[in-house]
């Protein structure tokens, strides 16, 4: 029994990959809405997949608003990876008041 406790204690604890005020706001809302999903630990690729799925179900008007508010091209130019673009999309969702619906979507949407 002691060995099991020591083995569990030695296991690495997953840590949050993304950061920033926009991601923290998303993570806090997700922690309240669906703590079992542990969306605070989501990877940039998985967050991108969730954002794309959410955007697919938006109305054309909401898509235009979100696209107009999204500053990823200006803020993420010359940076590799998905961390910056996905966080910029979260910022745009906050600006367009789509973050709460996105959290609801991410909580109920299951990855394949």
């Amino acid at each position: 029994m002691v060995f099991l406790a020591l083995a569990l204690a030695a296991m690495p604890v997953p840590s949050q990959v993304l950061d920033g005020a926009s991601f923290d706001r998303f993570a806090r809302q997700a922690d309240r809405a669906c703590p079992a999903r542990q969306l605070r630990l989501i990877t940039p690729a998985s967050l991108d997949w969730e954002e794309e799925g959410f955007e697919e179900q938006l109305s054309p008007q909401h898509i235009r608003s979100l696209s107009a508010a999204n500053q990823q091209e200006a803020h993420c130019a010359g940076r590799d990876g998905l961390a910056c673009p996905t966080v910029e999309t979260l910022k745009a969702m906050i600006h367009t008041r789509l973050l709460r619906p996105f959290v609801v979507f991410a909580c109920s949407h299951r990855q394949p």
Side-chain angles (χ1 to χ4, degrees):
M1 185 70 148
V2 172
F3 179 72
L4 178 60
L6 290 173
L8 290 174
M11 290 180 63
V13 176
S15 62
Q16 181 174 314
V17 176
L18 295 165
D19 61 2
S22 300
F23 181 77
D24 288 341
R25 190 165 166 183
F26 162 76
R28 282 193 311 273
Q29 287 186 25
D31 287 346
R32 285 191 301 272
C34 56
R37 287 288 317 270
Q38 296 185 328
L39 290 172
R40 178 176 295 282
L41 304 177
I42 197 167
T43 64
S46 293
L47 180 58
D48 182 61
W49 187 80
E50 293 289 353
E51 289 172 347
E52 287 179 7
F54 176 71
E55 290 174 28
E56 288 173 1
Q57 53 95 42
L58 290 175
S59 69
Q61 180 183 4
H62 280 123
I63 292 171
R64 282 191 301 275
S65 297
L66 187 60
S67 293
N70 198 326
Q71 299 294 311
Q72 67 177 287
E73 288 187 26
H75 293 162
C76 303
R79 295 177 69 179
D80 290 334
L82 289 171
C84 183
T86 56
V87 171
E88 286 298 321
T89 299
L90 290 176
K91 285 181 189 176
M93 288 180 186
I94 291 167
H95 181 74
T96 57
R97 301 178 191 260
L98 290 171
L99 184 63
R100 185 168 305 279
F102 174 64
V103 169
V104 170
F105 175 85
C107 283
S108 63
H109 191 229
R110 299 290 179 200
Q111 293 188 354

